[in-house]
Amino acid sequence: MLGLQRTARTIAAGAAALFCLTAPVLAEDREFSWSVTGTGTSDYIFRGISLSDERPVFQASVDGSYGILYFGAWGSILNEQAGDPVEIDFYTGIKPVLGPVTFDFGVVYYTYFWADEPSDLDYYELKAGFTYEPVKNLTVKPFFWWVPDQANAPQQWAIEGTVAYALPQVGIFTPTVSGLVGYQDADTNNGFYFGDDSYTYWNAGLALGVEKFTFDFRYWDTTLDTGLADERFVFTASITLP
């Protein structure tokens, strides 16, 4: 636990130093922008685990940014039979740019207003990562997520990396192949994740973009031994405006 706390302090110090270095340049590039996204998916997967009881659901988000600052809200239908019908997440952070690297330091607050006992479920999570394009069309995104010890959640962390490659346009579609590998761990000895305190998850898939639409075909799997985290194919369609 002390190691995680030191890591969190190091990340925070690095973010503050990076912000100070980039602030003079970023002050000249302040512009407000916003977007709204509507999504339909065959299964809501969060780090390899189905949170919609393996059922199709609707999701939506509203996002805004001003300079390096970003903020927004995202919502999804969950499993009503489990007493958690809707999840709404609020998030904010900064994305300073240093050379070819775009950093991302933020916080996400997970809420369940319509749950039977919403105050027993809400918690927040910190994140730190960056986006880098080592060669044209190839994007690498390593990220670290950390949930401090809270009344509603034990201390836990996840580290994951995403690699995506944009292929040449095919007809009206812009295809992108991508994959992700992540590892999640909780500071507990009671089998927090379906009998385990840690597990690995991954996905691979193809996204087809056409104008404001994106169609994603993805395979998910984990090392957990539970039906909600078994291997599966997930189809997602979304539209982003304006």
Side-chain angles (χ1 to χ4, degrees):
M1 186 170 68
L2 290 176
L4 283 176
Q5 291 174 342
R6 293 193 189 99
T7 300
R9 287 196 294 268
T10 300
I11 292 173
L18 183 64
F19 179 77
C20 291
L21 288 172
T22 57
V25 177
L26 295 167
E28 301 176 0
D29 187 25
R30 295 177 178 173
E31 181 178 346
F32 175 76
S33 63
W34 66 276
S35 65
V36 177
T37 301
T39 300
T41 181
S42 62
D43 200 347
Y44 169 24
I45 305 296
F46 180 75
R47 294 177 189 160
I49 300 174
S50 172
L51 298 188
S52 61
D53 196 25
E54 304 180 305
R55 299 177 180 179
V57 295
F58 176 75
Q59 303 169 336
S61 65
V62 178
D63 294 275
S65 65
Y66 181 72
I68 65 170
L69 175 68
Y70 69 88
F71 43 88
W74 177 92
S76 176
I77 297 173
L78 297 180
N79 178 11
E80 294 188 19
Q81 293 182 347
D84 309 329
V86 178
E87 172 189 336
I88 299 179
D89 305 337
F90 300 93
Y91 45 86
T92 187
I94 58 172
K95 288 186 176 180
V97 179
L98 188 61
V101 180
T102 300
F103 292 87
D104 186 346
F105 303 98
V107 58
V108 182
Y109 186 55
Y110 301 88
T111 67
Y112 305 86
F113 293 116
W114 291 276
D116 295 337
E117 297 290 342
S119 61
D120 293 337
L121 299 173
D122 298 353
Y123 69 98
Y124 68 93
E125 182 175 44
L126 306 177
K127 70 171 181 175
F130 64 86
T131 300
Y132 175 60
E133 187 175 332
V135 297
K136 184 178 180 181
N137 296 335
L138 179 65
T139 303
V140 179
K141 296 182 180 181
F143 267 84
F144 177 78
W145 302 81
W146 180 51
V147 177
D149 188 24
Q150 301 164 54
N152 304 335
Q155 179 172 259
Q156 51 192 294
W157 58 273
I159 185 168
E160 58 186 34
T162 302
V163 177
Y165 186 77
L167 299 171
Q169 185 167 334
V170 179
I172 62 173
F173 295 103
T174 302
T176 300
V177 292
S178 63
L180 175 150
V181 176
Y183 176 79
Q184 177 103 353
D185 195 303
D187 186 19
T188 175
N189 295 315
N190 60 0
F192 186 70
Y193 306 113
F194 300 97
D196 292 310
D197 291 319
S198 63
Y199 70 99
T200 302
Y201 56 95
W202 59 91
N203 72 50
L206 170 69
L208 300 176
V210 51
E211 297 183 352
K212 299 179 183 296
F213 294 89
T214 301
F215 304 95
D216 188 89
F217 307 82
R218 194 153 302 274
Y219 169 84
W220 279 93
D221 200 3
T222 76
T223 57
L224 290 173
D225 185 19
T226 173
L228 294 178
D230 285 345
E231 60 181 1
R232 69 196 60 222
F233 285 95
V234 177
F235 171 70
T236 302
S238 63
I239 178 173
T240 300
L241 301 172

